[in-house]
Amino acid sequence: MAIRTLDALELAGKRVFIRVDFNVPLDEHGGVADDQRIRAALPTIQHAVRARARVILASHLGRPKGREEKYTLEPAGERLSALLQQDVILADDCVGDGVRKLVKELQEGQVLLLENLRFHPEEEKNDEAFAKELAGLCDVWVNDAFGTAHRAHASTAGMARFVREKAAGFLIQKEVEYLGRALASPKRPFVALLGGAKVSDKIKVIENLLAKADAVCIGGAMAYTFLEAQGVPVGRSRVEKDKVELARALLEKARARQVDFLLPVDHVCGAEPKETAKREVTPGREIPEGLMGLDIGPKTLDAYRQRVLAAGTVFWNGPMGLFEQKPWAEGTLGIARAMAESPATTVVGGGDSAAAVEEAGLVPKMTHVSTGGGASLEFIEGRVLPGIQVLEG
Ligand code: AMP
């Protein structure tokens, strides 16, 4: 079903409530450590400002238990003000008389940022009265918080029933277009790269991709559960013992579907998952007793790289190793570089892989880097995201 987008609406003079995702990491002084999410919301905010809307922004930040000042959206508001080059009015709450008064006084083209929605537990409970109160602040509800689109909270889903007009912001529109298109009609060959710690987190994603991809390349700790399922010695590597059977079934499914299922053919190992551990590269698939696999090896990286370079579409989610520590980051960085070089449509699911691409300065070289970790995975699993579903119709 079609989703109505922001550019289809007349916004002048209207109170436009935009649910953004300003859940940004903070530094030790309480400042914004990374403003990627604020930047990602700018096209929608700027469109509303230029259209002379009275702009009301709302977001959550962190997981406060009630009102906790360290989770204030003030630093995010200051950064937004600098990026927009205009004043951003900060409310000290997101509901109540004071907020209603600020909204009433809001002029066309002005921006008001409400305080952290999660200062009220009703937000996450998707409380009806709370959703109604938020809806009462506006004429138009715009959801542009892709990072929380997989949650049915008052501001991400509940409000939709009580507003006259609703639309997806440009960020959600872009995420749906790229994550949706990558799966619905991929240019072939379609190569999926999956990494990260656990098979159990990615079962649905793997199953869904086995129905669509031409090749699936596995890295990260979850590779060892698959190798164990094949009877390959993996030393002290992380293995999910209770998922070995499942890994075997997925390998069988891949064979039946004639999907190339690539596992590491060599590894970078250490005696323990520490920066100071000695780096040892195995000549083959087996990992000696006493060592643990902490990154894909150079032969594996080369094999995956060739797949990426020859692909029509690449989707990547999850690091290839313990990339937060330099000795084990080469595989993850190598994949990011290969994707940057590839002529394919390249889509990076959010979370750790997006962070690695960002750190390598390669975001502009990708077709799309998703801003939502959990949300992009659920999307790729084929699930309907509540924050997007309510925009339909
Ligand atoms: P996930 O949240 O499942 O995507 O897992 C990401 C985490 O898995 C990151 O913190 C990685 O450092 C970690 N990881 C990836 N590969 C390994 C590995 N071989 N050994 C230990 N941790 C790993």
Side-chain angles (χ1 to χ4, degrees):
M1 208 184 282
I3 292 176
R4 182 178 257 206
T5 55
L6 193 55
D7 38 9
L9 296 182
E10 182 56 58
L11 302 179
K14 289 187 183 159
R15 297 167 302 161
V16 177
F17 183 112
I18 309 175
R19 175 46 160 110
V20 288
D21 180 4
F22 284 179
N23 184 27
V24 290
L26 300 176
D27 60 28
E28 65 269 30
H29 311 295
V32 175
D34 177 354
D35 64 4
Q36 209 195 343
R37 286 184 162 165
I38 301 176
R39 288 176 188 274
L42 285 180
T44 295
I45 300 169
Q46 281 166 331
H47 175 86
V49 168
R50 283 196 206 108
R52 311 300 299 161
R54 296 149 68 198
V55 182
I56 306 158
L57 303 178
S59 176
H60 75 284
L61 175 72
R63 297 192 165 155
K65 292 183 181 61
R67 194 172 182 111
E68 281 188 70
E69 291 310 323
K70 67 174 174 177
Y71 293 112
T72 173
L73 279 166
E74 207 176 313
E78 280 166 14
R79 182 62 63 91
L80 174 67
S81 172
L83 291 168
L84 282 177
Q85 297 185 313
Q86 79 172 69
D87 285 341
V88 170
I89 304 161
L90 286 165
D92 68 357
D93 206 341
C94 60
V95 286
D97 288 342
V99 171
R100 274 192 292 275
K101 185 163 177 285
L102 284 174
V103 169
K104 209 166 172 194
E105 289 164 357
L106 200 61
Q107 303 292 306
E108 292 182 7
Q110 279 192 330
V111 177
L112 169 69
L113 174 61
L114 304 184
E115 187 51 285
N116 196 339
L117 291 156
R118 289 196 189 165
F119 282 177
H120 295 264
E122 292 90 343
E123 160 66 0
E124 287 183 88
K125 287 188 192 136
N126 197 4
D127 178 84
E128 189 171 307
F130 185 71
K132 258 188 196 157
E133 205 173 340
L134 290 174
L137 296 174
C138 68
D139 305 301
V140 180
W141 174 67
V142 176
N143 190 7
D144 210 22
F146 184 72
T148 31
H150 57 319
R151 307 275 182 235
H153 294 165
S155 69
T156 62
M159 277 178 77
R161 285 195 290 142
F162 307 113
V163 291
R164 256 166 287 160
E165 288 188 287
K166 58 190 180 180
F170 297 128
L171 176 64
I172 283 206
Q173 193 186 343
K174 191 170 166 230
E175 296 274 8
V176 169
E177 194 181 314
Y178 282 110
L179 294 173
R181 198 169 56 193
L183 277 195
S185 50
K187 201 167 155 240
R188 295 195 179 273
F190 176 17
V191 176
L193 298 143
L194 294 173
K198 292 188 188 157
V199 182
S200 46
D201 290 345
K202 311 263 160 98
I203 302 166
K204 290 261 167 51
V205 178
I206 298 174
E207 278 179 345
N208 205 22
L209 287 171
L210 283 179
K212 313 242 162 75
D214 300 292
V216 176
C217 306
I218 303 284
M222 75 169 168
Y224 311 118
T225 304
F226 283 103
L227 288 174
E228 172 107 353
Q230 290 186 330
V232 178
V234 294
R236 293 181 51 220
S237 306
R238 277 175 69 161
V239 170
E240 282 174 278
K241 291 275 182 220
D242 59 334
K243 293 292 176 296
V244 174
E245 252 333 291
L246 176 85
R248 205 168 282 135
L250 288 171
L251 287 166
E252 189 43 52
K253 210 175 242 178
R255 214 173 357 253
R257 295 223 165 116
Q258 296 182 318
V259 175
D260 290 341
F261 202 85
L262 281 74
L263 291 169
V265 292
D266 62 348
H267 314 272
V268 183
C269 301
E272 47 183 357
K274 287 196 179 151
E275 200 121 17
T276 48
K278 186 164 162 262
R279 210 171 168 272
E280 295 187 41
V281 179
T282 63
R285 300 200 298 167
E286 293 84 16
I287 297 176
E289 277 300 315
L291 288 184
M292 60 199 310
L294 294 168
D295 194 9
I296 56 172
K299 287 183 210 156
T300 309
L301 174 57
D302 194 51
Y304 291 3
R305 192 183 141 76
Q306 296 312 324
R307 293 281 179 157
V308 168
L309 294 177
T313 306
V314 184
F315 172 75
W316 176 31
N317 179 278
M320 294 286 119
L322 185 60
F323 80 112
E324 296 93 337
Q325 299 180 8
K326 206 157 176 271
W328 332 108
E330 269 310 302
T332 301
L333 282 176
I335 293 299
R337 287 190 200 112
M339 284 180 73
E341 271 175 52
S342 174
T345 299
T346 47
V347 180
V348 183
D352 288 328
S353 14
V357 169
E358 166 88 4
E359 215 178 288
L362 295 173
V363 174
K365 303 263 185 191
M366 305 293 170
T367 311
H368 181 63
V369 180
S370 177
T371 51
S376 72
L377 269 191
E378 289 200 18
F379 203 100
I380 297 294
E381 284 175 8
R383 280 208 241 176
V384 178
L385 308 189
I388 292 176
Q389 191 180 25
V390 294
L391 293 169
E392 290 174 351

